[in-house]
Amino acid sequence: MSHRLVGLMDVFRQLESYITLDTSRIFNVILLQHTQPQENTPGPTLASQYTIWYLDKLEEHIKSGEVCFAPLRKCFVRKHQMAPNFNAELYTNIAELQALAKMLGPYGIKYLGEQLMERCERHVHEMLSIVKENKELLIQLRACTMDQFPTGMISKQLKRHESFLASCILVGALFNFRRLTVAALKTVVAKRAPFLQNCILDYKTNIRPEVDPSIPDEMASAAGFEVDADPALCAAIQKHCANPASETLWTLFNVMVAVTLPLQSMDINSVYRTPIEGHENNLHCVSTAVTWLSSCVYTNLVRSGLEKEPLQVILKERMREFVEKVSERMLKLQLEEDKELQKEIKQRDSLFILLEKMVRDSNYITYDMLENNFPFTILRNSYRAVYENKKKKQQKIENEI
């Protein structure tokens, strides 16, 4: 699309030699109108068309399991390379998203982010309703040790835990797409307005204590900088952080994630794929979902006065509690005594790697915090196991050839 626009501009510039025509003014006015969700004349704009198309396609194919996010390649890829429906890597690679950012500009990318977060809010609402259904059990799980609730018992007593984790994976995958578009915008703005971008970064870095932090965050996000609490997500989930009971509900949300993650070790699609550095069923996106939601939720709670403690303190405390609970349930997989359940656990090593990714994704989870709850020896052995499995598969393919 960007090549077509450049070609059309070249044609109009040639016409300037024969007729009185201000090509630059025409394209500035028209392209600026198309970065908005609506324009003066009836009909969809480029921003609205691309937003609807990207979000519909990604949501549809992530739900169906045909597309997974590849952190190593920084794009979405097809689960099977011969899948004819949607060539995700063609539309979400770095060059394509930078071309999209050039056409839509900061206004269009901001609109894309707002619409994406509105879709995520619907899934967040569904997840919170599942948490409310399991509230009594989650309160018990938060207070108990791993021996009191075996893995098999949790899978039987938790209601709709599969739907909860599916929604969490989808939300995390959409957050990763948001991260890709913001990174593409940052590259484009750095080329076109480097001084403006540097001024915004300087203002955000040296903000005065009395200034509302949401203002520089919104400015930085519009210029392509990734912030701890995404302004669009904060606005979308504000209604879920509006009463004193919200803090307890979100704490139980983290408990729900911690106790449902180990259940995915029985899913053969939870395998860790080394070529993309991610799980085949997008399980690694849960880490992004927990990190982004926690940052935005507690930012909203602190700004609204429902939380009196400083944001950094309360986030570290909640993330420490989350790491303790998820590590405890993961270790239960390693020490599982039920022989029938041991046979069903197929992706234990792939699941352990997810713990290390949580440290890399979060600013509030440290390696020291993880090592206090989960032995690094198990983590190293898990990495060795998944890479050895990759070598065995390659040798098997070579032998067949």
Side-chain angles (χ1 to χ4, degrees):
M1 186 65 182
S2 60
H3 294 298
R4 293 181 183 178
L5 284 174
V6 172
L8 188 61
M9 290 177 72
D10 290 339
V11 172
F12 272 81
R13 287 197 181 99
Q14 291 178 8
L15 287 175
E16 283 183 326
S17 304
Y18 305 98
I19 59 177
T20 304
L21 189 67
D22 190 350
T23 305
S24 298
R25 181 176 176 276
I26 291 173
F27 275 93
N28 284 337
V29 172
I30 293 175
L31 291 179
L32 183 60
Q33 289 179 354
H34 277 273
T35 62
Q36 307 294 327
Q38 294 179 343
E39 60 172 337
N40 297 332
T41 57
T45 62
L46 283 176
S48 61
Q49 285 182 311
Y50 274 106
T51 295
I52 293 171
W53 187 84
Y54 264 100
L55 297 185
D56 284 348
K57 285 290 184 181
L58 280 175
E59 189 170 357
E60 175 189 350
H61 289 89
I62 291 170
K63 280 183 178 179
S64 63
E66 298 175 8
V67 166
C68 58
F69 175 64
L72 182 64
R73 297 176 60 179
K74 294 184 178 179
C75 68
F76 285 83
V77 297
R78 290 169 292 178
K79 185 175 177 181
H80 303 290
Q81 292 299 316
M82 299 306 293
N85 296 332
F86 178 58
N87 192 348
E89 51 266 44
L90 184 64
Y91 296 103
T92 60
N93 62 65
I94 295 175
E96 189 69 19
L97 291 181
Q98 286 180 5
L100 180 69
K102 286 180 182 178
M103 284 191 297
L104 302 188
Y107 286 118
I109 296 298
K110 183 174 183 288
Y111 174 71
L112 174 62
E114 290 172 350
Q115 294 300 305
L116 183 147
M117 293 308 173
E118 284 186 11
R119 295 195 180 206
C120 289
E121 187 277 328
R122 293 196 288 269
H123 295 291
V124 169
H125 177 74
E126 181 184 352
M127 287 190 287
L128 289 177
S129 65
I130 297 175
V131 171
K132 291 177 182 177
E133 288 181 26
N134 295 280
K135 186 175 180 179
E136 297 300 326
L137 178 59
L138 291 173
I139 291 173
Q140 295 178 38
L141 287 168
R142 184 186 180 191
C144 76
T145 61
M146 63 179 178
D147 295 328
Q148 292 174 301
F149 276 88
T151 305
M153 186 185 297
I154 291 176
S155 62
K156 293 176 183 177
Q157 293 189 14
L158 276 179
K159 301 173 185 176
R160 299 170 59 197
H161 61 85
E162 293 179 353
S163 299
F164 174 87
L165 204 57
S167 296
C168 195
I169 289 172
L170 176 60
V171 166
L174 293 177
F175 287 167
N176 280 312
F177 178 68
R178 166 69 170 163
R179 179 180 283 171
L180 294 177
T181 56
V182 170
L185 177 64
K186 181 181 179 181
T187 304
V188 172
V189 174
K191 291 179 181 178
R192 295 194 173 187
F195 297 108
L196 176 63
Q197 195 177 56
N198 290 335
C199 289
I200 293 174
L201 179 61
D202 183 63
Y203 175 65
K204 184 183 183 309
T205 306
N206 302 292
I207 182 176
R208 298 177 186 175
E210 63 271 15
V211 178
D212 183 2
S214 62
I215 297 174
D217 279 355
E218 193 164 350
M219 290 176 59
S221 181
F225 293 103
E226 188 174 323
V227 295
D228 289 340
D230 189 277
L233 180 57
C234 286
I237 63 173
Q238 177 63 47
K239 61 184 179 182
H240 300 297
C241 314
N243 57 72
S246 301
E247 201 276 337
T248 303
L249 188 63
W250 282 105
T251 302
L252 295 179
F253 175 90
N254 285 344
V255 175
M256 183 80 174
V257 175
V259 299
T260 53
L261 268 180
L263 302 179
Q264 291 299 300
S265 61
M266 305 173 197
D267 184 1
I268 194 172
N269 292 319
S270 297
V271 60
Y272 183 83
R273 291 177 57 190
T274 54
I276 64 171
E277 290 189 355
H279 297 77
E280 196 170 274
N281 61 352
N282 280 312
L283 192 63
H284 55 286
C285 294
V286 172
S287 172
T288 309
V290 171
T291 301
W292 278 45
L293 285 173
S294 297
S295 296
C296 292
V297 164
Y298 289 104
T299 297
N300 283 342
L301 290 173
V302 170
R303 289 175 183 174
S304 61
L306 295 174
E307 280 291 347
K308 304 303 179 183
E309 296 183 18
L311 178 62
Q312 305 288 335
V313 174
I314 191 169
L315 268 173
K316 284 184 179 179
E317 178 61 26
R318 292 295 173 264
M319 289 296 98
R320 181 192 61 77
E321 183 180 342
F322 172 73
V323 169
E324 286 179 358
K325 185 56 66 176
V326 73
S327 299
E328 180 183 275
R329 301 312 310 181
M330 294 287 191
L331 286 173
K332 182 63 179 175
L333 293 178
Q334 187 76 0
L335 306 173
E336 186 62 56
E337 296 178 356
D338 189 338
K339 293 183 179 180
E340 292 184 3
L341 191 60
Q342 280 283 7
K343 293 178 182 178
E344 295 179 10
I345 297 175
K346 301 178 177 67
Q347 304 300 338
R348 182 190 290 109
D349 292 319
S350 296
L351 213 61
F352 291 161
I353 292 174
L354 184 59
L355 290 174
E356 198 266 339
K357 187 180 186 306
M358 289 179 178
V359 179
R360 286 187 275 127
D361 282 350
S362 176
N363 294 329
Y364 304 99
I365 302 176
T366 63
Y367 280 102
D368 290 339
M369 190 185 297
L370 178 61
E371 192 170 12
N372 289 336
N373 298 280
F374 193 86
F376 261 61
T377 304
I378 299 177
L379 197 58
R380 286 193 295 268
N381 291 339
S382 299
Y383 270 110
R384 186 184 300 113
V386 295
Y387 278 92
E388 284 179 354
N389 288 337
K390 177 190 174 184
K391 290 180 181 178
K392 289 178 181 178
K393 288 181 180 178
Q394 288 178 343
Q395 291 176 356
K396 184 177 179 182
I397 293 172
E398 290 174 359
N399 293 334
E400 289 177 355
I401 294 174

